[in-house]
Amino acid sequence: EAGVVQSPRYKIIEKKQPVAFWCNPISGHNTLYWYLQNLGQGPELLIRYENEEAVDDSQLPKDRFSAERLKGVDSTLKIQPAELGDSAVYLCASSLGGKDYQFFGPGTRLTVL
Amino acid sequence: DQQVKQNSPSLSVQEGRISILNCDYTNSMFDYFLWYKKYPAEGPTFLISISSIKDKNEDGRFTVFLNKSAKHLSLHIVPSQPGDSAVYFCAARSNNNDMRFGAGTRLTVKP
């Protein structure tokens, strides 16, 4: 069974440029999460989807970050414009339901110069 | 606000010995606790969990202990193996599915 797929794995951009990350969850998983992980820290939730509905986006900086999960399957996370402080690993995870443990993708390491 | 704390950034143990990783939490609304293991360049993978109605859960070499009164949990690995070398994250979830992670502890098991 394929795990959570994320692309790209690495991205280097200059500040003020836009960037987008893509996530394909495990088939059949209704709940999808985007996390931000800074160096030496644990994952911090950005947004959680139940199917196509964003049920928790309280930690998403909405002035520059946006996300969508069309048809309740794949999801994209966008940053526009990127800032130096956005350099981090962006993790996508999925689970059968909100109370099941999560399967994580390998993450996208973003470097903003 | 750090609701889940792993105060030891790193831990080194000898192969065959016990590894004990600790985690403290502050939010009494957490009712489910998980441990994840992370290798370099990979995402975290689920290891073991415990509900707040229990004080111990065991799975092979891994045991998680929960002390609700102290708001403390620990992960015991016995015996430790070199392949256990990784970063271990403690996570806690509340009834509304809000999950918080600790900063992680890097475990090194020396042959």
Side-chain angles (χ1 to χ4, degrees), chain A residues 11-47:
Chain A
K11 189 73 177 179
I12 301 174
I13 61 171
E14 294 190 347
K15 62 181 181 181
K16 301 184 182 180
Q17 294 299 305
V19 64
F21 314 123
W22 174 80
C23 173
N24 180 237
I26 292 173
S27 177
H29 281 195
N30 297 322
T31 308
L32 183 144
Y33 312 76
W34 281 104
Y35 288 91
L36 163 72
Q37 185 177 16
N38 285 305
L39 189 63
Q41 299 297 317
E44 300 172 33
L45 182 69
L46 290 171
I47 189 167

PDB file of all heavy atoms in Angstrom, chain A residues 11-47:
ATOM      1  N   LYS A  11      12.495  22.415  -1.968  1.00  0.00           N
ATOM      2  CA  LYS A  11      12.183  23.600  -2.755  1.00  0.00           C
ATOM      3  C   LYS A  11      12.991  24.764  -2.217  1.00  0.00           C
ATOM      4  O   LYS A  11      12.988  25.013  -1.006  1.00  0.00           O
ATOM      5  CB  LYS A  11      10.697  23.918  -2.685  1.00  0.00           C
ATOM      6  CG  LYS A  11      10.233  25.002  -3.628  1.00  0.00           C
ATOM      7  CD  LYS A  11      10.202  24.518  -5.057  1.00  0.00           C
ATOM      8  CE  LYS A  11       9.652  25.595  -5.985  1.00  0.00           C
ATOM      9  NZ  LYS A  11       9.630  25.134  -7.397  1.00  0.00           N
ATOM     10  N   ILE A  12      13.675  25.456  -3.133  1.00  0.00           N
ATOM     11  CA  ILE A  12      14.428  26.648  -2.760  1.00  0.00           C
ATOM     12  C   ILE A  12      13.887  27.799  -3.583  1.00  0.00           C
ATOM     13  O   ILE A  12      13.826  27.727  -4.815  1.00  0.00           O
ATOM     14  CB  ILE A  12      15.937  26.479  -3.036  1.00  0.00           C
ATOM     15  CG1 ILE A  12      16.488  25.297  -2.251  1.00  0.00           C
ATOM     16  CG2 ILE A  12      16.684  27.760  -2.680  1.00  0.00           C
ATOM     17  CD1 ILE A  12      17.941  24.971  -2.572  1.00  0.00           C
ATOM     18  N   ILE A  13      13.465  28.857  -2.900  1.00  0.00           N
ATOM     19  CA  ILE A  13      12.914  30.015  -3.587  1.00  0.00           C
ATOM     20  C   ILE A  13      13.457  31.280  -2.949  1.00  0.00           C
ATOM     21  O   ILE A  13      13.997  31.259  -1.844  1.00  0.00           O
ATOM     22  CB  ILE A  13      11.366  30.038  -3.541  1.00  0.00           C
ATOM     23  CG1 ILE A  13      10.880  30.114  -2.088  1.00  0.00           C
ATOM     24  CG2 ILE A  13      10.781  28.841  -4.257  1.00  0.00           C
ATOM     25  CD1 ILE A  13       9.393  30.347  -1.952  1.00  0.00           C
ATOM     26  N   GLU A  14      13.288  32.382  -3.659  1.00  0.00           N
ATOM     27  CA  GLU A  14      13.658  33.665  -3.076  1.00  0.00           C
ATOM     28  C   GLU A  14      12.445  34.253  -2.371  1.00  0.00           C
ATOM     29  O   GLU A  14      11.301  33.961  -2.732  1.00  0.00           O
ATOM     30  CB  GLU A  14      14.162  34.602  -4.169  1.00  0.00           C
ATOM     31  CG  GLU A  14      15.471  34.124  -4.781  1.00  0.00           C
ATOM     32  CD  GLU A  14      16.096  35.156  -5.693  1.00  0.00           C
ATOM     33  OE1 GLU A  14      15.404  36.129  -6.048  1.00  0.00           O
ATOM     34  OE2 GLU A  14      17.271  34.979  -6.044  1.00  0.00           O
ATOM     35  N   LYS A  15      12.719  35.074  -1.388  1.00  0.00           N
ATOM     36  CA  LYS A  15      11.607  35.679  -0.644  1.00  0.00           C
ATOM     37  C   LYS A  15      10.726  36.480  -1.596  1.00  0.00           C
ATOM     38  O   LYS A  15      11.175  36.967  -2.631  1.00  0.00           O
ATOM     39  CB  LYS A  15      12.125  36.566   0.486  1.00  0.00           C
ATOM     40  CG  LYS A  15      12.963  37.739   0.049  1.00  0.00           C
ATOM     41  CD  LYS A  15      13.431  38.535   1.264  1.00  0.00           C
ATOM     42  CE  LYS A  15      14.255  39.733   0.810  1.00  0.00           C
ATOM     43  NZ  LYS A  15      14.763  40.522   1.959  1.00  0.00           N
ATOM     44  N   LYS A  16       9.480  36.547  -1.228  1.00  0.00           N
ATOM     45  CA  LYS A  16       8.418  37.206  -1.970  1.00  0.00           C
ATOM     46  C   LYS A  16       7.897  36.389  -3.143  1.00  0.00           C
ATOM     47  O   LYS A  16       6.912  36.796  -3.780  1.00  0.00           O
ATOM     48  CB  LYS A  16       8.832  38.603  -2.458  1.00  0.00           C
ATOM     49  CG  LYS A  16       9.219  39.556  -1.335  1.00  0.00           C
ATOM     50  CD  LYS A  16       9.514  40.942  -1.847  1.00  0.00           C
ATOM     51  CE  LYS A  16       9.941  41.869  -0.712  1.00  0.00           C
ATOM     52  NZ  LYS A  16      10.244  43.238  -1.180  1.00  0.00           N
ATOM     53  N   GLN A  17       8.520  35.258  -3.426  1.00  0.00           N
ATOM     54  CA  GLN A  17       8.011  34.381  -4.472  1.00  0.00           C
ATOM     55  C   GLN A  17       6.907  33.486  -3.930  1.00  0.00           C
ATOM     56  O   GLN A  17       6.843  33.219  -2.726  1.00  0.00           O
ATOM     57  CB  GLN A  17       9.148  33.502  -5.041  1.00  0.00           C
ATOM     58  CG  GLN A  17      10.214  34.289  -5.776  1.00  0.00           C
ATOM     59  CD  GLN A  17       9.640  35.032  -6.963  1.00  0.00           C
ATOM     60  OE1 GLN A  17       9.004  34.458  -7.846  1.00  0.00           O
ATOM     61  NE2 GLN A  17       9.853  36.334  -6.998  1.00  0.00           N
ATOM     62  N   PRO A  18       6.018  33.015  -4.807  1.00  0.00           N
ATOM     63  CA  PRO A  18       5.013  32.052  -4.361  1.00  0.00           C
ATOM     64  C   PRO A  18       5.567  30.633  -4.402  1.00  0.00           C
ATOM     65  O   PRO A  18       6.527  30.347  -5.122  1.00  0.00           O
ATOM     66  CB  PRO A  18       3.898  32.229  -5.404  1.00  0.00           C
ATOM     67  CG  PRO A  18       4.634  32.616  -6.652  1.00  0.00           C
ATOM     68  CD  PRO A  18       5.832  33.432  -6.202  1.00  0.00           C
ATOM     69  N   VAL A  19       4.950  29.742  -3.629  1.00  0.00           N
ATOM     70  CA  VAL A  19       5.349  28.335  -3.636  1.00  0.00           C
ATOM     71  C   VAL A  19       4.130  27.486  -3.307  1.00  0.00           C
ATOM     72  O   VAL A  19       3.224  27.940  -2.593  1.00  0.00           O
ATOM     73  CB  VAL A  19       6.498  28.077  -2.629  1.00  0.00           C
ATOM     74  CG1 VAL A  19       6.054  28.327  -1.193  1.00  0.00           C
ATOM     75  CG2 VAL A  19       7.068  26.677  -2.797  1.00  0.00           C
ATOM     76  N   ALA A  20       4.098  26.292  -3.857  1.00  0.00           N
ATOM     77  CA  ALA A  20       2.969  25.389  -3.600  1.00  0.00           C
ATOM     78  C   ALA A  20       3.484  23.995  -3.327  1.00  0.00           C
ATOM     79  O   ALA A  20       4.462  23.546  -3.923  1.00  0.00           O
ATOM     80  CB  ALA A  20       2.014  25.375  -4.794  1.00  0.00           C
ATOM     81  N   PHE A  21       2.806  23.322  -2.399  1.00  0.00           N
ATOM     82  CA  PHE A  21       3.140  21.947  -2.045  1.00  0.00           C
ATOM     83  C   PHE A  21       1.915  21.082  -2.319  1.00  0.00           C
ATOM     84  O   PHE A  21       0.789  21.509  -2.116  1.00  0.00           O
ATOM     85  CB  PHE A  21       3.500  21.835  -0.555  1.00  0.00           C
ATOM     86  CG  PHE A  21       4.438  22.893  -0.061  1.00  0.00           C
ATOM     87  CD1 PHE A  21       4.096  23.711   1.002  1.00  0.00           C
ATOM     88  CD2 PHE A  21       5.672  23.076  -0.656  1.00  0.00           C
ATOM     89  CE1 PHE A  21       4.958  24.685   1.471  1.00  0.00           C
ATOM     90  CE2 PHE A  21       6.538  24.044  -0.201  1.00  0.00           C
ATOM     91  CZ  PHE A  21       6.183  24.861   0.858  1.00  0.00           C
ATOM     92  N   TRP A  22       2.200  19.845  -2.707  1.00  0.00           N
ATOM     93  CA  TRP A  22       1.111  18.941  -3.053  1.00  0.00           C
ATOM     94  C   TRP A  22       1.164  17.697  -2.172  1.00  0.00           C
ATOM     95  O   TRP A  22       2.257  17.224  -1.812  1.00  0.00           O
ATOM     96  CB  TRP A  22       1.222  18.558  -4.536  1.00  0.00           C
ATOM     97  CG  TRP A  22       0.243  17.535  -4.989  1.00  0.00           C
ATOM     98  CD1 TRP A  22      -1.060  17.733  -5.316  1.00  0.00           C
ATOM     99  CD2 TRP A  22       0.484  16.147  -5.171  1.00  0.00           C
ATOM    100  NE1 TRP A  22      -1.640  16.556  -5.706  1.00  0.00           N
ATOM    101  CE2 TRP A  22      -0.718  15.563  -5.630  1.00  0.00           C
ATOM    102  CE3 TRP A  22       1.607  15.326  -5.004  1.00  0.00           C
ATOM    103  CZ2 TRP A  22      -0.825  14.202  -5.903  1.00  0.00           C
ATOM    104  CZ3 TRP A  22       1.500  13.981  -5.284  1.00  0.00           C
ATOM    105  CH2 TRP A  22       0.294  13.431  -5.727  1.00  0.00           C
ATOM    106  N   CYS A  23      -0.001  17.167  -1.836  1.00  0.00           N
ATOM    107  CA  CYS A  23      -0.082  15.982  -0.993  1.00  0.00           C
ATOM    108  C   CYS A  23      -1.151  15.037  -1.517  1.00  0.00           C
ATOM    109  O   CYS A  23      -2.271  15.461  -1.805  1.00  0.00           O
ATOM    110  CB  CYS A  23      -0.412  16.377   0.452  1.00  0.00           C
ATOM    111  SG  CYS A  23      -0.730  14.973   1.550  1.00  0.00           S
ATOM    112  N   ASN A  24      -0.801  13.779  -1.622  1.00  0.00           N
ATOM    113  CA  ASN A  24      -1.764  12.729  -1.958  1.00  0.00           C
ATOM    114  C   ASN A  24      -1.852  11.788  -0.762  1.00  0.00           C
ATOM    115  O   ASN A  24      -0.884  11.083  -0.461  1.00  0.00           O
ATOM    116  CB  ASN A  24      -1.319  11.978  -3.204  1.00  0.00           C
ATOM    117  CG  ASN A  24      -2.293  10.874  -3.581  1.00  0.00           C
ATOM    118  OD1 ASN A  24      -1.932   9.705  -3.685  1.00  0.00           O
ATOM    119  ND2 ASN A  24      -3.533  11.239  -3.781  1.00  0.00           N
ATOM    120  N   PRO A  25      -2.977  11.771  -0.052  1.00  0.00           N
ATOM    121  CA  PRO A  25      -3.078  10.947   1.162  1.00  0.00           C
ATOM    122  C   PRO A  25      -3.257   9.473   0.819  1.00  0.00           C
ATOM    123  O   PRO A  25      -3.415   9.103  -0.343  1.00  0.00           O
ATOM    124  CB  PRO A  25      -4.328  11.499   1.834  1.00  0.00           C
ATOM    125  CG  PRO A  25      -5.182  11.950   0.681  1.00  0.00           C
ATOM    126  CD  PRO A  25      -4.213  12.480  -0.345  1.00  0.00           C
ATOM    127  N   ILE A  26      -3.242   8.653   1.844  1.00  0.00           N
ATOM    128  CA  ILE A  26      -3.507   7.233   1.662  1.00  0.00           C
ATOM    129  C   ILE A  26      -4.954   7.056   1.224  1.00  0.00           C
ATOM    130  O   ILE A  26      -5.857   7.723   1.750  1.00  0.00           O
ATOM    131  CB  ILE A  26      -3.220   6.463   2.961  1.00  0.00           C
ATOM    132  CG1 ILE A  26      -1.709   6.478   3.233  1.00  0.00           C
ATOM    133  CG2 ILE A  26      -3.733   5.043   2.896  1.00  0.00           C
ATOM    134  CD1 ILE A  26      -1.311   5.886   4.564  1.00  0.00           C
ATOM    135  N   SER A  27      -5.155   6.169   0.267  1.00  0.00           N
ATOM    136  CA  SER A  27      -6.492   5.956  -0.277  1.00  0.00           C
ATOM    137  C   SER A  27      -7.485   5.590   0.819  1.00  0.00           C
ATOM    138  O   SER A  27      -7.221   4.721   1.665  1.00  0.00           O
ATOM    139  CB  SER A  27      -6.430   4.827  -1.315  1.00  0.00           C
ATOM    140  OG  SER A  27      -7.713   4.544  -1.828  1.00  0.00           O
ATOM    141  N   GLY A  28      -8.603   6.292   0.820  1.00  0.00           N
ATOM    142  CA  GLY A  28      -9.640   6.010   1.802  1.00  0.00           C
ATOM    143  C   GLY A  28      -9.551   6.817   3.069  1.00  0.00           C
ATOM    144  O   GLY A  28     -10.460   6.770   3.917  1.00  0.00           O
ATOM    145  N   HIS A  29      -8.461   7.539   3.246  1.00  0.00           N
ATOM    146  CA  HIS A  29      -8.311   8.371   4.447  1.00  0.00           C
ATOM    147  C   HIS A  29      -9.101   9.663   4.280  1.00  0.00           C
ATOM    148  O   HIS A  29      -8.835  10.445   3.381  1.00  0.00           O
ATOM    149  CB  HIS A  29      -6.837   8.672   4.709  1.00  0.00           C
ATOM    150  CG  HIS A  29      -6.116   7.539   5.354  1.00  0.00           C
ATOM    151  ND1 HIS A  29      -4.882   7.693   5.937  1.00  0.00           N
ATOM    152  CD2 HIS A  29      -6.471   6.248   5.527  1.00  0.00           C
ATOM    153  CE1 HIS A  29      -4.500   6.531   6.441  1.00  0.00           C
ATOM    154  NE2 HIS A  29      -5.446   5.640   6.195  1.00  0.00           N
ATOM    155  N   ASN A  30     -10.036   9.880   5.200  1.00  0.00           N
ATOM    156  CA  ASN A  30     -10.896  11.054   5.094  1.00  0.00           C
ATOM    157  C   ASN A  30     -10.266  12.312   5.668  1.00  0.00           C
ATOM    158  O   ASN A  30     -10.601  13.420   5.275  1.00  0.00           O
ATOM    159  CB  ASN A  30     -12.225  10.801   5.816  1.00  0.00           C
ATOM    160  CG  ASN A  30     -13.001   9.665   5.181  1.00  0.00           C
ATOM    161  OD1 ASN A  30     -13.006   9.516   3.961  1.00  0.00           O
ATOM    162  ND2 ASN A  30     -13.646   8.868   6.004  1.00  0.00           N
ATOM    163  N   THR A  31      -9.390  12.122   6.639  1.00  0.00           N
ATOM    164  CA  THR A  31      -8.821  13.271   7.344  1.00  0.00           C
ATOM    165  C   THR A  31      -7.412  13.558   6.826  1.00  0.00           C
ATOM    166  O   THR A  31      -6.589  12.652   6.717  1.00  0.00           O
ATOM    167  CB  THR A  31      -8.776  13.013   8.858  1.00  0.00           C
ATOM    168  OG1 THR A  31     -10.076  12.591   9.293  1.00  0.00           O
ATOM    169  CG2 THR A  31      -8.414  14.286   9.609  1.00  0.00           C
ATOM    170  N   LEU A  32      -7.166  14.807   6.512  1.00  0.00           N
ATOM    171  CA  LEU A  32      -5.862  15.216   5.985  1.00  0.00           C
ATOM    172  C   LEU A  32      -5.361  16.413   6.786  1.00  0.00           C
ATOM    173  O   LEU A  32      -6.139  17.303   7.139  1.00  0.00           O
ATOM    174  CB  LEU A  32      -5.983  15.580   4.505  1.00  0.00           C
ATOM    175  CG  LEU A  32      -4.686  15.966   3.772  1.00  0.00           C
ATOM    176  CD1 LEU A  32      -4.718  15.461   2.331  1.00  0.00           C
ATOM    177  CD2 LEU A  32      -4.424  17.447   3.817  1.00  0.00           C
ATOM    178  N   TYR A  33      -4.081  16.394   7.079  1.00  0.00           N
ATOM    179  CA  TYR A  33      -3.459  17.433   7.899  1.00  0.00           C
ATOM    180  C   TYR A  33      -2.257  18.028   7.165  1.00  0.00           C
ATOM    181  O   TYR A  33      -1.512  17.307   6.499  1.00  0.00           O
ATOM    182  CB  TYR A  33      -2.928  16.848   9.218  1.00  0.00           C
ATOM    183  CG  TYR A  33      -3.870  15.955   9.980  1.00  0.00           C
ATOM    184  CD1 TYR A  33      -4.117  14.642   9.571  1.00  0.00           C
ATOM    185  CD2 TYR A  33      -4.481  16.401  11.156  1.00  0.00           C
ATOM    186  CE1 TYR A  33      -4.959  13.816  10.284  1.00  0.00           C
ATOM    187  CE2 TYR A  33      -5.320  15.566  11.876  1.00  0.00           C
ATOM    188  CZ  TYR A  33      -5.554  14.277  11.439  1.00  0.00           C
ATOM    189  OH  TYR A  33      -6.386  13.452  12.151  1.00  0.00           O
ATOM    190  N   TRP A  34      -2.074  19.316   7.361  1.00  0.00           N
ATOM    191  CA  TRP A  34      -0.810  19.965   6.981  1.00  0.00           C
ATOM    192  C   TRP A  34      -0.162  20.469   8.266  1.00  0.00           C
ATOM    193  O   TRP A  34      -0.795  21.142   9.082  1.00  0.00           O
ATOM    194  CB  TRP A  34      -1.046  21.149   6.046  1.00  0.00           C
ATOM    195  CG  TRP A  34      -1.298  20.772   4.624  1.00  0.00           C
ATOM    196  CD1 TRP A  34      -2.501  20.759   3.965  1.00  0.00           C
ATOM    197  CD2 TRP A  34      -0.334  20.394   3.640  1.00  0.00           C
ATOM    198  NE1 TRP A  34      -2.342  20.380   2.659  1.00  0.00           N
ATOM    199  CE2 TRP A  34      -1.017  20.154   2.431  1.00  0.00           C
ATOM    200  CE3 TRP A  34       1.053  20.236   3.665  1.00  0.00           C
ATOM    201  CZ2 TRP A  34      -0.364  19.759   1.252  1.00  0.00           C
ATOM    202  CZ3 TRP A  34       1.703  19.844   2.506  1.00  0.00           C
ATOM    203  CH2 TRP A  34       0.998  19.613   1.316  1.00  0.00           C
ATOM    204  N   TYR A  35       1.121  20.122   8.406  1.00  0.00           N
ATOM    205  CA  TYR A  35       1.898  20.554   9.560  1.00  0.00           C
ATOM    206  C   TYR A  35       3.122  21.340   9.100  1.00  0.00           C
ATOM    207  O   TYR A  35       3.662  21.121   8.019  1.00  0.00           O
ATOM    208  CB  TYR A  35       2.413  19.354  10.375  1.00  0.00           C
ATOM    209  CG  TYR A  35       1.384  18.604  11.178  1.00  0.00           C
ATOM    210  CD1 TYR A  35       0.701  17.518  10.638  1.00  0.00           C
ATOM    211  CD2 TYR A  35       1.112  18.970  12.500  1.00  0.00           C
ATOM    212  CE1 TYR A  35      -0.228  16.818  11.390  1.00  0.00           C
ATOM    213  CE2 TYR A  35       0.188  18.270  13.257  1.00  0.00           C
ATOM    214  CZ  TYR A  35      -0.472  17.193  12.693  1.00  0.00           C
ATOM    215  OH  TYR A  35      -1.394  16.499  13.443  1.00  0.00           O
ATOM    216  N   LEU A  36       3.571  22.200   9.986  1.00  0.00           N
ATOM    217  CA  LEU A  36       4.819  22.925   9.812  1.00  0.00           C
ATOM    218  C   LEU A  36       5.784  22.418  10.872  1.00  0.00           C
ATOM    219  O   LEU A  36       5.404  22.285  12.041  1.00  0.00           O
ATOM    220  CB  LEU A  36       4.566  24.428  10.021  1.00  0.00           C
ATOM    221  CG  LEU A  36       5.743  25.355  10.268  1.00  0.00           C
ATOM    222  CD1 LEU A  36       6.520  25.526   8.994  1.00  0.00           C
ATOM    223  CD2 LEU A  36       5.257  26.699  10.771  1.00  0.00           C
ATOM    224  N   GLN A  37       7.014  22.076  10.459  1.00  0.00           N
ATOM    225  CA  GLN A  37       7.996  21.647  11.443  1.00  0.00           C
ATOM    226  C   GLN A  37       9.259  22.473  11.295  1.00  0.00           C
ATOM    227  O   GLN A  37       9.965  22.385  10.280  1.00  0.00           O
ATOM    228  CB  GLN A  37       8.332  20.170  11.305  1.00  0.00           C
ATOM    229  CG  GLN A  37       9.263  19.684  12.405  1.00  0.00           C
ATOM    230  CD  GLN A  37       9.560  18.207  12.342  1.00  0.00           C
ATOM    231  OE1 GLN A  37       9.319  17.552  11.336  1.00  0.00           O
ATOM    232  NE2 GLN A  37      10.062  17.668  13.437  1.00  0.00           N
ATOM    233  N   ASN A  38       9.529  23.276  12.311  1.00  0.00           N
ATOM    234  CA  ASN A  38      10.775  24.029  12.349  1.00  0.00           C
ATOM    235  C   ASN A  38      11.875  23.161  12.930  1.00  0.00           C
ATOM    236  O   ASN A  38      11.616  22.192  13.649  1.00  0.00           O
ATOM    237  CB  ASN A  38      10.599  25.291  13.205  1.00  0.00           C
ATOM    238  CG  ASN A  38       9.791  26.360  12.491  1.00  0.00           C
ATOM    239  OD1 ASN A  38      10.130  26.765  11.380  1.00  0.00           O
ATOM    240  ND2 ASN A  38       8.711  26.808  13.107  1.00  0.00           N
ATOM    241  N   LEU A  39      13.098  23.522  12.644  1.00  0.00           N
ATOM    242  CA  LEU A  39      14.257  22.759  13.096  1.00  0.00           C
ATOM    243  C   LEU A  39      14.249  22.625  14.605  1.00  0.00           C
ATOM    244  O   LEU A  39      14.098  23.611  15.333  1.00  0.00           O
ATOM    245  CB  LEU A  39      15.536  23.449  12.634  1.00  0.00           C
ATOM    246  CG  LEU A  39      16.841  22.679  12.845  1.00  0.00           C
ATOM    247  CD1 LEU A  39      16.828  21.396  12.030  1.00  0.00           C
ATOM    248  CD2 LEU A  39      18.032  23.549  12.472  1.00  0.00           C
ATOM    249  N   GLY A  40      14.365  21.412  15.085  1.00  0.00           N
ATOM    250  CA  GLY A  40      14.431  21.170  16.524  1.00  0.00           C
ATOM    251  C   GLY A  40      13.095  21.247  17.229  1.00  0.00           C
ATOM    252  O   GLY A  40      13.052  21.242  18.468  1.00  0.00           O
ATOM    253  N   GLN A  41      12.017  21.315  16.461  1.00  0.00           N
ATOM    254  CA  GLN A  41      10.681  21.401  17.048  1.00  0.00           C
ATOM    255  C   GLN A  41       9.806  20.255  16.547  1.00  0.00           C
ATOM    256  O   GLN A  41      10.143  19.576  15.576  1.00  0.00           O
ATOM    257  CB  GLN A  41      10.023  22.731  16.682  1.00  0.00           C
ATOM    258  CG  GLN A  41      10.778  23.952  17.170  1.00  0.00           C
ATOM    259  CD  GLN A  41      10.858  24.009  18.677  1.00  0.00           C
ATOM    260  OE1 GLN A  41       9.884  23.751  19.371  1.00  0.00           O
ATOM    261  NE2 GLN A  41      12.041  24.330  19.205  1.00  0.00           N
ATOM    262  N   GLY A  42       8.701  20.060  17.212  1.00  0.00           N
ATOM    263  CA  GLY A  42       7.745  19.079  16.752  1.00  0.00           C
ATOM    264  C   GLY A  42       6.817  19.674  15.706  1.00  0.00           C
ATOM    265  O   GLY A  42       6.780  20.890  15.515  1.00  0.00           O
ATOM    266  N   PRO A  43       6.071  18.828  15.014  1.00  0.00           N
ATOM    267  CA  PRO A  43       5.105  19.337  14.029  1.00  0.00           C
ATOM    268  C   PRO A  43       4.047  20.226  14.674  1.00  0.00           C
ATOM    269  O   PRO A  43       3.575  19.933  15.782  1.00  0.00           O
ATOM    270  CB  PRO A  43       4.472  18.061  13.474  1.00  0.00           C
ATOM    271  CG  PRO A  43       5.452  16.970  13.760  1.00  0.00           C
ATOM    272  CD  PRO A  43       6.093  17.360  15.057  1.00  0.00           C
ATOM    273  N   GLU A  44       3.681  21.286  13.984  1.00  0.00           N
ATOM    274  CA  GLU A  44       2.623  22.187  14.437  1.00  0.00           C
ATOM    275  C   GLU A  44       1.534  22.220  13.368  1.00  0.00           C
ATOM    276  O   GLU A  44       1.811  22.473  12.202  1.00  0.00           O
ATOM    277  CB  GLU A  44       3.171  23.598  14.650  1.00  0.00           C
ATOM    278  CG  GLU A  44       4.272  23.690  15.691  1.00  0.00           C
ATOM    279  CD  GLU A  44       4.902  25.066  15.725  1.00  0.00           C
ATOM    280  OE1 GLU A  44       4.183  26.058  15.481  1.00  0.00           O
ATOM    281  OE2 GLU A  44       6.119  25.161  15.972  1.00  0.00           O
ATOM    282  N   LEU A  45       0.305  21.988  13.788  1.00  0.00           N
ATOM    283  CA  LEU A  45      -0.794  21.903  12.829  1.00  0.00           C
ATOM    284  C   LEU A  45      -1.060  23.255  12.171  1.00  0.00           C
ATOM    285  O   LEU A  45      -1.163  24.284  12.830  1.00  0.00           O
ATOM    286  CB  LEU A  45      -2.068  21.440  13.535  1.00  0.00           C
ATOM    287  CG  LEU A  45      -3.282  21.264  12.632  1.00  0.00           C
ATOM    288  CD1 LEU A  45      -3.090  20.066  11.702  1.00  0.00           C
ATOM    289  CD2 LEU A  45      -4.561  21.103  13.455  1.00  0.00           C
ATOM    290  N   LEU A  46      -1.177  23.215  10.839  1.00  0.00           N
ATOM    291  CA  LEU A  46      -1.611  24.390  10.085  1.00  0.00           C
ATOM    292  C   LEU A  46      -3.097  24.301   9.764  1.00  0.00           C
ATOM    293  O   LEU A  46      -3.847  25.262   9.942  1.00  0.00           O
ATOM    294  CB  LEU A  46      -0.810  24.513   8.784  1.00  0.00           C
ATOM    295  CG  LEU A  46       0.660  24.904   8.918  1.00  0.00           C
ATOM    296  CD1 LEU A  46       1.359  24.769   7.581  1.00  0.00           C
ATOM    297  CD2 LEU A  46       0.779  26.324   9.445  1.00  0.00           C
ATOM    298  N   ILE A  47      -3.523  23.132   9.273  1.00  0.00           N
ATOM    299  CA  ILE A  47      -4.909  22.975   8.867  1.00  0.00           C
ATOM    300  C   ILE A  47      -5.265  21.498   8.863  1.00  0.00           C
ATOM    301  O   ILE A  47      -4.414  20.647   8.602  1.00  0.00           O
ATOM    302  CB  ILE A  47      -5.164  23.606   7.469  1.00  0.00           C
ATOM    303  CG1 ILE A  47      -6.651  23.646   7.133  1.00  0.00           C
ATOM    304  CG2 ILE A  47      -4.365  22.890   6.394  1.00  0.00           C
ATOM    305  CD1 ILE A  47      -6.975  24.528   5.922  1.00  0.00           C
TER     306      ILE A  47
END
